Amino acid sequence: QVQLVESGGGLVQAGGSLRLSCAASGLTFSGRTLGWLRQAPGKEREFAATISWSGATTAYADSVKGRFTISRDNAKSTVYLQMNNLAPEDTAVYYCAAAKSRFTAPMSRLDENNYWGQGTQVTVSS
């Protein structure tokens, strides 16, 4: 019954921006650690950004620090990823994830500990 639905992906030129959204349903959104992960062609899935259950703490991959911002709106059960100054290396399928347990920190890397969205494609052209 839990669903995470990503949106906002697309094609953008290098230096451009995109804002991804992930709407959750079937779960209690507040108090739950959230994250955005991405998988580039031929590469393993990696964390891009996470936000704590309280919203007070965020963490980013070194490759996206200073360019990406993760945020959450508990009233809308939605987590966002603002992506600025995009580069071709950011091309990937982006997935949102929500921890199955509430009030957990840091976010688990294990698939079985998270709910997952279906992904949205981000393509950055040079």
Side-chain angles (χ1 to χ4, degrees), residues 33-45:
T33 301
L34 307 168
W36 285 96
L37 298 91
R38 65 184 186 178
Q39 187 166 23
K43 296 185 178 180
E44 295 186 9
R45 189 168 57 194

Side-chain angles (χ1 to χ4, degrees), residues 21 23 27 32-33 40 43 48 55-57 67 69 82 85 87 98-100:
S21 300
L27 52 72
R32 201 179 300 271
T33 301
K43 296 185 178 180
T57 304
R67 300 188 298 119
T69 302
Q82 178 66 47
N85 194 24
K100 289 185 177 180

Side-chain angles (χ1 to χ4, degrees), residues 41-125:
K43 296 185 178 180
E44 295 186 9
R45 189 168 57 194
E46 64 174 355
F47 278 104
T50 62
I51 185 167
S52 66
W53 62 266
S54 68
T57 304
T58 58
Y60 300 92
D62 289 342
S63 58
V64 308
K65 286 180 180 178
R67 300 188 298 119
F68 289 12
T69 302
I70 187 171
S71 61
R72 64 191 296 163
D73 186 338
N74 289 344
K76 297 181 178 179
S77 295
T78 301
V79 59
Y80 305 95
L81 186 67
Q82 178 66 47
M83 305 185 294
N84 297 326
N85 194 24
L86 286 162
E89 293 73 28
D90 297 315
T91 295
V93 177
Y94 284 71
Y95 301 88
C96 68
K100 289 185 177 180
S101 299
R102 296 178 71 201
F103 310 112
T104 57
M107 190 172 192
S108 175
R109 299 171 61 185
L110 301 177
D111 288 352
E112 59 266 32
N113 289 337
N114 299 314
Y115 299 111
W116 297 91
Q118 80 287 348
T120 185
Q121 175 70 228
V122 172
T123 302
V124 184
S125 62

